[in-house]
Amino acid sequence: MIEIKDLHKSYKMGSNTLHVLKGINFSVKEGELVAIMGSSGSGKSTLLNILGMLDEADSGEYTLDGVPIKNLTETKAAIYRNKFLGFIFQSFNLINYKTALENVALPLYYQKMPRKERQAKALKYLEQVGLKEWSHHLPSELSGGQKQRVAIARAMVAEPKVLLADELTGALDSKTSYEVMDLIQKINDQGNTILVVTHEPDIAQMCKRIVYLKDGVIIKDEKVEQVKASAYV
Amino acid sequence: MFSRDTWQEIFLSIRKNKMRTFLAGFTVTIGILIFVSLVGLTNGLQNTFNEAFGDDANNVFFLFPGRTSVPYKGYKSNRRIEFENSDLEDIEKNFENYVEYITPRIQRGGIVSYKEEYDNYTTRGVAPGHQEAEKTIMMKGRYINQEDVRHKTKYAVIGRLVEKDLFKDENAMGKFIDISGSVFKVIGVYQDDGGDNEERLIYIPYTTRQLIEKNNDKIDQIIIGFKPEIGYAGAMVFEGQLRNFMKDKKFISPDDQNGLFIRNVADQLQQTQQFSSIIAIVLSVFAFGTIIAGIIGISNIMVFVVKERTKEIGIRKALGATPKSVISTILLESVFITTLSGYAGMLIGVVIMNSIGNSLKEDYFITNPYIDFGLATTATIILIFFGALAGYIPARKAARIKPIVALRDE
């Protein structure tokens, strides 16, 4: 599903250049649930942003579902993001003046899906994350866990190839975190490919594979025995 | 761009961001309102000028006799100059090419009565040409004509308000009034745009006036209407020649400034028109400044709006919004708001202008302020255009921001 070869990325900080990714080689198969672990500054978020086409690599190859991701125009990148990727952010990033349903339906709006169809589909995904009754509430009327579940529904609604989650439990307490991870595991069990960036070991243990990143290189890449989040819920 | 979905997005955004919408709209409404008001008031001011000076013919000279201040050809100074009937004939004969009409004016006050009603009125002894000089408009009957002058008839043409005061609801036509002891028949009633005072005058043949005053041939003033085709320059030449001719005839020294006066309406008109157009220019500058201020205001708000929405734009881009759709949503929203509020400002302004009407005429010299609809629309469109342009630049910038930058947590 994802193929990465010798990926480099550096940021200019004034006169200094900060080399964040120093040659990453890594691939993800369909249906995997991968955690990318590392302390802050290890380059894990940068890697995720490049995978998400939110940022561009300086050099290296990136192939997503057989499509080379290179020299994209803004418009092309937008279309790819919409078609291939679903994002889940630490701070949820819901649009605050739109209801849960409208937030979930937004990616479909950019696919130019008719309104009725869009709303029906969004409602279906809201139901899947257990928030059907909350569909007409604004984000400000939802709890942190509920907001993150809305965000997950939004990431899922366009049926992307890969879900990318950046510290998705970072703003949640541990009970809510496990509820969210339970949802992520269920989605993965349905066959969806998911990448989770985290610095919390217990969250990483709930994935099927952990990639350890340190100072811009992969130091360890191992399959793990998945801990079922449902045990803690 | 004009799909129902796009507009639903825009309406939602407007509904959920009332403060922002209000600020943007308010700036535009106020800008257009002030513009419409300023232009309207300018037009009102010019209306007053036109009314004040447009009532009388402007191709007219007034000749007044004075007293000499310089001895000349054996005459002492401080001699009183008088005009006579022969002066009329001489001017007409010598300046055929210039003169369109000529009329004397002999003005007297006195008690005028009809039955029990009486009041003090000014009577003017005139020739037929006077009608044109004053732009007197006949409502009933006719004006003094050449036959009246020749036969010294006791006919009077009275103003609308004279009829109203003396005759109440009666028709004055054919009735007899008493003017300072002489009986005159009313042969006409007139109106005049020059105001109430001009409608309280009574016109009689000047020869009749002279007959009453011991059959003399003296004239108070001479009014000459010159041919409009000679133009402003021609009028100036005519004035100079006329002055020399009359001074020569009345034995007034060419250096004497006081023996004879000529009031040239064309010259005065030119000055007042210059004055009113200067006022118009000043106000136009203000109006233009208002539009500029409006553009700056809407630009500021657009920059603020885009800044405020940077994160939202980042989210939308992460979800698959193309730069084009980001820009067009922001622009359509701003154009929609500026159009509606600009139109509202225009309507409010026009309604205010209409409701003012003549109420400011007495104190502020503003009559019937109005604004040309096309001009108001143009101003609104200019504001909308620059509002859109002002929105486009930051919107394009925002659409180019990498989503990762826009999404970065504060």
Side-chain angles (χ1 to χ4, degrees):
Chain A
M1 182 61 62
I2 292 176
E3 289 282 349
I4 283 181
K5 273 187 198 141
D6 198 27
L7 204 69
H8 286 265
K9 176 74 183 175
S10 51
Y11 291 106
K12 282 206 168 58
M13 310 285 274
S15 55
N16 298 331
T17 306
L18 192 64
H19 205 166
V20 184
L21 296 181
K22 302 167 180 167
I24 305 280
N25 291 290
F26 144 86
S27 63
V28 180
K29 291 191 189 64
E30 194 170 349
E32 275 197 286
L33 176 53
V34 182
I36 299 172
M37 279 260 319
S39 57
S40 65
S42 61
K44 58 186 192 304
S45 286
T46 306
L47 177 61
L48 195 78
N49 289 333
I50 290 169
L51 292 178
M53 294 177 238
L54 296 176
D55 208 344
E56 269 175 80
D58 298 336
S59 64
E61 282 175 29
Y62 171 25
T63 315
L64 178 62
D65 197 26
V67 180
I69 306 300
K70 206 169 186 185
N71 300 330
L72 294 180
T73 62
E74 280 275 7
T75 310
K76 196 103 181 161
I79 292 166
Y80 280 3
R81 277 197 291 270
N82 186 276
K83 216 160 83 178
F84 292 146
L85 301 167
F87 291 94
I88 304 162
F89 302 95
Q90 176 175 2
S91 50
F92 323 126
N93 282 335
L94 300 174
I95 292 176
N96 56 18
Y97 62 83
K98 286 177 175 284
T99 64
L101 186 71
E102 287 161 346
N103 264 293
V104 174
L106 201 56
L108 302 177
Y109 167 73
Y110 288 115
Q111 286 181 356
K112 304 194 179 358
M113 186 182 279
R115 187 178 162 77
K116 283 259 157 56
E117 217 175 300
R118 203 160 76 205
Q119 290 197 325
K121 197 168 178 192
L123 197 62
K124 198 183 96 186
Y125 277 89
L126 265 183
E127 193 177 7
Q128 211 174 33
V129 298
L131 288 174
K132 194 183 178 185
E133 287 74 36
W134 297 82
S135 61
H136 291 289
H137 287 250
L138 291 174
S140 57
E141 296 161 344
L142 302 175
S143 71
Q146 285 173 323
K147 280 187 218 176
Q148 197 58 296
R149 282 193 277 161
V150 172
I152 291 170
R154 185 178 65 182
M156 299 275 300
V157 77
E159 289 160 0
K161 306 277 184 202
V162 179
L163 280 186
L164 299 172
D166 188 6
E167 300 281 10
L168 83 167
T169 59
L172 305 174
D173 61 56
S174 37
K175 185 173 178 289
T176 320
S177 297
Y178 296 144
E179 284 171 8
V180 168
M181 279 314 289
D182 183 39
L183 184 61
I184 291 289
Q185 287 177 341
K186 280 181 181 144
I187 292 166
N188 175 244
D189 290 344
Q190 290 164 11
N192 292 293
T193 315
I194 305 175
L195 256 75
V196 177
V197 162
T198 183
H199 64 273
E200 294 170 80
D202 55 337
I203 298 299
Q205 287 300 325
M206 290 173 181
C207 299
K208 292 171 176 169
R209 174 182 162 197
I210 304 179
V211 175
Y212 293 92
L213 216 62
K214 195 179 179 188
D215 298 332
V217 287
I218 293 173
I219 53 167
K220 201 161 89 178
D221 186 344
E222 60 175 14
K223 290 225 159 45
V224 293
E225 193 60 35
Q226 190 182 29
V227 177
K228 281 288 173 189
S230 52
Y232 298 92
V233 177
Chain B
M1 188 185 260
F2 294 102
S3 72
R4 186 163 160 243
D5 273 343
T6 312
W7 286 105
Q8 258 159 353
E9 273 290 297
I10 288 165
F11 287 137
L12 183 71
S13 162
I14 287 175
R15 218 166 37 237
K16 297 294 167 71
N17 298 285
K18 292 201 177 77
M19 186 63 184
R20 188 171 79 197
T21 308
F22 172 77
L23 277 178
F26 188 69
T27 313
V28 174
T29 305
I30 288 292
I32 293 293
L33 179 59
I34 294 175
F35 177 82
V36 169
S37 307
L38 279 177
V39 173
L41 294 180
T42 312
N43 286 336
L45 209 56
Q46 283 184 324
N47 279 348
T48 311
F49 272 105
N50 290 342
E51 213 165 87
F53 299 98
D55 139 58
D56 296 338
N58 52 38
N59 56 330
V60 169
F61 292 159
F62 288 83
L63 270 67
F64 306 91
R67 274 175 189 276
T68 56
S69 57
V70 183
Y72 188 64
K73 287 194 175 172
Y75 289 98
K76 288 181 197 164
S77 74
N78 205 28
R79 173 170 55 98
R80 207 165 77 104
I81 302 297
E82 283 184 310
F83 293 155
E84 289 127 23
N85 289 356
S86 68
D87 296 335
L88 297 175
E89 291 152 28
D90 286 344
I91 292 172
E92 220 173 350
K93 206 158 44 186
N94 281 283
F95 296 100
E96 262 182 336
N97 295 336
Y98 292 121
V99 176
E100 187 164 86
Y101 56 83
I102 182 165
T103 172
R105 180 192 277 180
I106 309 171
Q107 196 154 314
R108 300 285 182 270
I111 301 289
V112 176
S113 65
Y114 172 74
K115 290 184 181 168
E116 301 300 305
E117 300 292 335
Y118 64 91
D119 205 343
N120 218 332
Y121 291 102
T122 300
T123 307
R124 283 174 172 175
V126 298
H130 197 279
Q131 181 178 9
E132 206 168 324
E134 282 281 350
K135 287 195 180 161
T136 305
I137 302 152
M138 295 310 296
M139 294 166 70
K140 291 187 268 191
R142 64 171 177 84
Y143 202 73
I144 306 296
N145 65 19
Q146 209 54 53
E147 291 299 296
D148 298 331
V149 172
R150 191 178 306 144
H151 297 118
K152 305 176 184 179
T153 55
K154 290 196 163 184
Y155 286 163
V157 176
I158 64 174
R160 183 177 65 86
L161 293 176
V162 178
E163 184 187 37
K164 201 175 150 200
D165 294 346
L166 291 184
F167 291 86
K168 308 296 176 197
D169 297 330
E170 258 184 83
N171 187 347
M173 290 295 293
K175 303 280 165 48
F176 291 90
I177 53 172
D178 184 305
I179 301 173
S180 308
S182 304
V183 175
F184 284 77
K185 185 181 181 183
V186 177
I187 57 161
V189 179
Y190 72 89
Q191 60 184 17
D192 196 301
D193 289 338
D196 287 0
N197 289 336
E198 302 243 319
E199 293 186 332
R200 284 211 161 85
L201 294 169
I202 296 169
Y203 292 114
I204 60 173
Y206 73 98
T207 47
T208 312
R209 169 56 69 197
Q210 288 172 335
L211 183 66
I212 291 168
E213 294 178 349
K214 298 170 188 158
N215 203 11
N216 65 18
D217 65 346
K218 302 297 180 209
I219 295 169
D220 285 359
Q221 296 172 28
I222 297 171
I223 301 169
I224 300 164
F226 57 83
K227 291 175 178 158
E229 59 265 27
I230 68 172
Y232 180 73
M236 290 297 132
V237 173
F238 178 31
E239 186 189 331
Q241 291 180 358
L242 183 67
R243 193 185 298 275
N244 293 341
F245 175 80
M246 287 303 286
K247 277 185 174 174
D248 189 47
K249 189 178 175 200
K250 297 291 176 187
F251 306 109
I252 304 168
S253 160
D255 306 325
D256 194 341
Q257 299 297 320
N258 295 322
L260 172 82
F261 302 99
I262 298 178
R263 184 158 74 90
N264 183 343
V265 177
D267 198 21
Q268 281 187 328
L269 189 78
Q270 177 120 346
Q271 283 176 19
T272 44
Q273 276 176 345
Q274 266 171 4
F275 179 62
S276 95
S277 61
I278 285 170
I279 292 178
I281 289 169
V282 169
L283 280 175
S284 306
V285 169
F286 284 152
F288 184 68
T290 311
I291 289 292
I292 298 288
I295 291 171
I296 293 171
I298 188 74
S299 310
N300 276 336
I301 287 167
M302 285 312 296
V303 170
F304 165 74
V305 163
V306 170
K307 181 103 187 136
E308 194 198 46
R309 296 182 80 166
T310 302
K311 182 150 186 157
E312 182 193 329
I313 291 166
I315 298 171
R316 285 174 182 271
K317 287 191 75 180
L319 297 180
T322 56
K324 200 182 122 200
S325 79
V326 168
I327 294 172
S328 73
T329 310
I330 291 178
L331 274 198
L332 272 180
E333 185 181 324
S334 87
V335 168
F336 180 74
I337 294 170
T338 42
T339 306
L340 270 197
S341 47
Y343 191 67
M346 196 172 96
L347 276 190
I348 295 170
V350 169
V351 167
I352 290 175
M353 288 302 114
N354 282 342
S355 66
I356 286 175
N358 284 336
S359 60
L360 292 179
K361 189 174 181 180
E362 293 302 319
D363 296 334
Y364 300 100
F365 307 107
I366 286 161
T367 313
N368 276 329
Y370 72 98
I371 181 162
D372 179 47
F373 191 73
L375 180 64
T377 313
T378 309
T380 312
I381 289 172
I382 287 175
L383 209 55
I384 291 168
F385 175 76
F386 280 100
L389 190 70
Y392 175 73
I393 294 162
R396 195 187 54 179
K397 211 172 134 194
R400 277 185 186 164
I401 297 176
K402 288 181 180 166
I404 189 64
V405 176
L407 289 175
R408 195 165 284 158
D409 292 311
E410 309 296 324

